[in-house]
Amino acid sequence: MTETPDDVAEQEPEFGTRKSFAALVQEFSAFISALWNSSGRRNFLLLTIAIIGVIIATSGMQVVLNAWNKPFYNAIETKNVKSFLYYLMVFGGIASILLGLNVAQTWLAQMITQQTRKWLTRDLIEQWLAPRRLVVLGDAGDIGINPDQRVHEDARHLAELSTGLGIGLFQSTLLLFSFVGVLWVLSSGVVLSVASYSFIIPGYMVWCALIFALTGSWVSWRVGRPLIGIGVERYAREADLRFALVQVNENASGIVLNAGETDEKKRLDDELDRVLDVMRRLVNAVARLTWVTAGYGWIGIVAPIVIAAPGYFGGKLSFGELMMVVGAFNQVQNCLRWFVDNFSAIADWRATLARVMSFRQALVTLEQPRDSGTRIEYDLDPLGRLELDNVAVTWTGERAALDTPHVEVAPGDHLLIVDRTGSAHRALFSALAGLWPWGSGKISLPPRSKMMYMPERPYVPDGSLRAALTYPLAPTSFSDEDLMAALKRADLPRLGASLDRKARWAREISYDEEVRVTLARLLLLKPEWIFSEQTIDAMDEGQRAIFTSILGKELAKSAVITVSGRASATDFYNRTVNLVEEDSDADKAPAEKTDAPSVAETSAPDPAKPERATAHDDQEDTRAADTAKAT
């Protein structure tokens, strides 16, 4: 699923509108709130106080430097060598202080950037890896596309832009207030003459600087406004290209074995074309803005001299005073034109802020009920069993329900749920894990610590093999003897010497070995409830022998619940329930609460239970149905 330009436009209101301003306030407030509630708030505040002090000191020294202009340039005008050399030495002292302050400001700015990225990235990771959200996010639409890009690259970029723009804005504001007074006083020396009349406009140079800067800012805003929407779309297209490249790299063997290089090249070319199309529009927009910003900069070189020229040529200003006026004017108009100089960066910041904070908001609200439809109710079974009451799942507009209204699974049972719809088993498997709440009915689960889920594709995390074997528990809870025994039991003794070696195991070992690592993990964790996404028929002979042996010996009292798209040809399962299609608007199940409690919540058992499903005869019925269907 990819975002279209229209989708992006809907997500980001046009810059300059009330809707855009309201969205900016909401996103920026969420940004500041997340920072304030972070664990690094104290360090961030100390760094902020320190850089404010440095910026204040820098502004004071720049006022001193501007005052230095008058005697220095007067010495040049009068050709006073002694005074000239003296003020050169004074300049050396001022420059040394400013150099130290500039170095301190740079270091503090980098530290603030680091701290901002640290708390922002950790906050996003915490929200992203909250229970269930990894799976639920995949059903969240466009906002769930490329979350790695938002957590990594976008968070980094937002931290850098926020720090740079924040410090720049504060410094420009402080310099503006520092030099407006200086420039106002110096404006008294600028006498304007019209015909035979001479007059002084109070704050003449200040008003000229204000008009000059506001004109440039307004024109920049009008010309550069499209950059924000283009920036949002650009990041989305870049993320799509990066995802496509990673996908090709991770599936290299399948592509080569199927001679799919040509198709993959075409797909990557299409993704690149989308990026290039956005970049062409971005280049054109930046070029149009450069006409304004560059032209404004060139005019700004001579503007203060031209504006102050009447005072100099009228004899009211010395050459040194003229340079002092020019310096103060440049400082004021540079502060006022901060918006002009940084419009591209502001547009980039605005787009990045929207992308990051909309993603964070989506993560926070993932657990909220949808606008329509019921949700599955969860609770903990007081007797530590699994019970399914009138359970149905909905997905992509379809609905499937168990053909047995009440299913109760006791320790040691082997239950197979066969998906007769062909596509609902993954939704039900996720529902049993508490990851898919959309549907109806009630699922009573045993304690989470006693359950283990075996998805269709085994997961072996990167890092040490020791940690991969005991995942998600800490490896320190198991001795080397336990780990070696589990590897030997899973027929993986060759990996015994690699317990502490860190590697990307999913790439280094075969699929068969990944399955066996999962079986070794099963032995170590000793779950009382095992949920699998495929029947034991999908295992090869060696894997199946190990799995059934473990369930017959070490885990003989553990229950196995399999949700699969096909029946089993073995006698491993003693019970079978079917998952069948049901009309989405059917009223077969009783109404459920919309706000489903979490798995961790408990409730009293229902005193009125439907009759329990029979146990041992369902398997033969299922095989007969499969045979008839195949015939």
Side-chain angles (χ1 to χ4, degrees):
M1 184 187 301
T2 57
E3 296 174 62
T4 65
D6 292 337
D7 295 330
V8 176
E10 290 178 4
Q11 293 171 14
E12 183 56 39
E14 185 181 0
F15 183 62
T17 63
R18 290 185 179 181
K19 186 177 180 181
S20 173
F21 181 74
L24 172 61
V25 171
Q26 181 181 9
E27 291 159 359
F28 187 68
S29 299
F31 179 76
I32 296 299
S33 176
L35 169 61
W36 186 253
N37 294 323
S38 68
S39 59
R41 178 178 62 185
R42 181 174 177 275
N43 290 338
F44 187 86
L45 288 176
L46 291 175
L47 289 170
T48 301
I49 293 171
I51 202 167
I52 288 174
V54 169
I55 291 174
I56 291 174
T58 302
S59 299
M61 290 306 299
Q62 286 181 319
V63 172
V64 172
L65 180 61
N66 185 68
W68 169 88
N69 282 325
K70 179 179 178 179
F72 179 74
Y73 285 104
N74 282 339
I76 293 176
E77 184 182 25
T78 60
K79 299 180 181 179
N80 187 332
V81 177
K82 184 177 179 180
S83 181
F84 173 78
L85 293 175
Y86 171 77
Y87 283 106
L88 273 181
M89 294 175 62
V90 172
F91 173 80
I94 296 173
S96 298
I97 296 174
L98 283 172
L99 177 61
L101 290 172
N102 288 342
V103 171
Q105 181 175 329
T106 300
W107 183 84
L108 288 169
Q110 293 298 317
M111 291 300 297
I112 291 175
T113 300
Q114 181 193 53
Q115 289 294 316
T116 303
R117 184 185 182 188
K118 175 183 175 181
W119 73 256
L120 180 58
T121 304
R122 285 184 173 173
D123 177 74
L124 290 175
I125 290 175
E126 181 179 356
Q127 298 296 338
W128 185 33
L129 295 182
R132 311 194 317 169
R133 287 183 184 170
L134 277 174
V135 173
V136 178
L137 184 64
D139 187 56
D142 291 339
I143 199 67
I145 296 174
N146 303 321
D148 55 303
Q149 173 84 8
R150 302 184 192 238
V151 173
H152 176 254
E153 187 61 24
D154 291 348
R156 177 195 64 79
H157 197 45
L158 180 59
E160 292 174 354
L161 288 172
S162 298
T163 302
L165 291 173
I167 291 173
L169 179 60
F170 176 74
Q171 189 165 27
S172 295
T173 303
L174 189 60
L175 285 172
L176 176 62
F177 284 106
S178 299
F179 279 95
V180 159
V182 175
L183 190 59
W184 189 281
V185 173
L186 293 174
S187 296
S188 61
V190 181
V191 180
L192 302 177
S193 299
V194 177
S196 58
Y197 296 97
S198 297
F199 56 93
I200 296 175
I201 299 177
Y204 165 70
M205 295 295 294
V206 174
W207 297 118
C208 289
L210 183 62
I211 293 171
F212 185 69
L214 289 179
T215 301
S217 298
W218 182 81
V219 175
S220 296
W221 171 71
R222 293 291 298 177
V223 174
R225 183 168 52 177
L227 278 171
I228 294 180
I230 296 174
V232 174
E233 186 181 350
R234 175 197 172 193
Y235 287 125
R237 299 287 81 77
E238 293 280 8
D240 288 342
L241 176 60
R242 177 177 175 271
F243 178 78
L245 291 169
V246 171
Q247 195 174 40
V248 169
N249 183 54
E250 291 183 346
N251 296 278
S253 297
I255 293 170
V256 172
L257 291 173
N258 291 281
E261 291 90 344
T262 302
D263 289 338
E264 294 300 326
K265 180 178 179 298
K266 183 178 183 304
R267 186 167 68 92
L268 293 178
D269 284 341
D270 290 342
E271 294 291 350
L272 180 60
D273 286 341
R274 293 188 183 96
V275 172
L276 295 177
D277 177 66
V278 177
M279 290 188 67
R280 276 191 292 269
R281 286 189 280 137
L282 181 66
V283 167
N284 291 334
V286 171
R288 288 191 295 270
L289 182 61
T290 304
W291 279 102
V292 177
T293 56
Y296 184 88
W298 288 111
I299 296 173
I301 295 176
V302 298
I305 298 175
V306 172
I307 295 171
Y312 178 72
F313 290 115
K316 296 293 184 179
L317 292 177
S318 66
F319 183 62
E321 289 172 329
L322 174 65
M323 298 309 295
M324 193 174 175
V325 169
V326 170
F329 182 93
N330 284 332
Q331 288 286 3
V332 171
Q333 74 97 13
N334 282 338
C335 295
L336 291 173
R337 64 173 275 180
W338 179 87
F339 182 79
V340 177
D341 293 336
N342 292 279
F343 190 88
S344 294
I346 293 172
D348 195 7
W349 173 81
R350 179 70 185 90
T352 309
L353 178 69
R355 185 169 167 82
V356 172
M357 299 316 294
S358 61
F359 174 68
R360 186 183 186 277
Q361 180 65 18
L363 291 174
V364 172
T365 57
L366 274 177
E367 303 302 319
Q368 294 181 359
R370 294 185 172 184
D371 293 337
S372 61
T374 56
R375 289 164 66 96
I376 297 172
E377 181 183 353
Y378 290 92
D379 72 3
L380 280 175
D381 186 271
L383 299 179
R385 296 173 299 184
L386 173 68
E387 294 187 15
L388 310 175
D389 288 316
N390 299 302
V391 171
V393 292
T394 56
W395 80 106
T396 62
E398 303 295 330
R399 182 180 175 89
L402 298 178
D403 62 356
T404 304
H406 177 68
V407 178
E408 182 177 323
V409 185
D413 281 354
H414 295 172
L415 171 67
L416 173 62
I417 301 176
V418 181
D419 176 21
R420 300 298 179 182
T421 71
S423 56
H425 56 281
R426 290 189 177 179
L428 179 61
F429 185 77
S430 297
L432 292 174
L435 304 177
W436 190 267
W438 296 287
S440 61
K442 180 179 179 181
I443 298 178
S444 301
L445 293 167
R448 183 65 180 87
S449 60
K450 297 181 179 181
M451 297 187 291
M452 177 174 172
Y453 291 86
M454 299 173 60
E456 187 174 358
R457 176 71 191 185
Y459 176 60
V460 182
D462 297 343
S464 69
L465 181 61
R466 182 188 302 274
L469 284 169
T470 62
Y471 181 85
L473 300 184
T476 52
S477 304
F478 303 88
S479 66
D480 287 358
E481 291 75 14
D482 293 335
L483 299 176
M484 293 295 292
L487 286 174
K488 184 177 180 181
R489 187 79 163 83
D491 199 18
L492 286 175
R494 73 172 189 86
L495 294 179
S498 304
L499 285 177
D500 295 309
R501 185 166 68 86
K502 295 183 178 180
R504 299 187 65 179
W505 294 105
R507 289 191 172 189
E508 191 164 312
I509 62 179
S510 65
Y511 174 80
D512 173 70
E513 290 174 320
E514 287 183 284
V515 174
R516 292 174 186 270
V517 166
T518 303
L519 297 179
R521 186 185 301 154
L522 197 66
L523 272 170
L524 292 167
L525 302 186
K526 293 181 171 55
E528 297 179 13
W529 300 86
I530 303 167
F531 296 83
S532 66
E533 200 175 1
Q534 60 180 359
T535 65
I536 64 170
D537 303 67
M539 298 180 179
D540 64 30
E541 187 176 349
Q543 297 166 357
R544 187 163 55 248
I546 296 172
F547 182 67
T548 54
S549 174
I550 292 173
L551 268 297
K553 297 179 181 178
E554 291 91 342
L555 301 181
K557 295 183 179 180
S558 297
V560 179
I561 301 92
T562 298
V563 182
S564 179
R566 63 178 184 177
S568 174
T570 70
D571 58 358
F572 176 77
Y573 299 98
N574 56 17
R575 303 178 59 188
T576 299
V577 174
N578 296 306
L579 183 63
V580 296
E581 286 188 16
E582 183 181 80
D583 293 337
S584 59
D585 58 349
D587 191 25
K588 296 182 180 180
E592 303 295 335
K593 292 189 296 182
T594 301
D595 295 321
S598 65
V599 175
E601 295 174 345
T602 60
S603 64
D606 189 349
K609 296 287 186 182
E611 184 178 348
R612 177 190 287 194
T614 55
H616 301 289
D617 298 330
D618 293 339
Q619 188 77 27
E620 295 301 326
D621 294 340
T622 301
R623 293 180 192 168
D626 286 342
T627 303
K629 188 174 181 181
T631 305

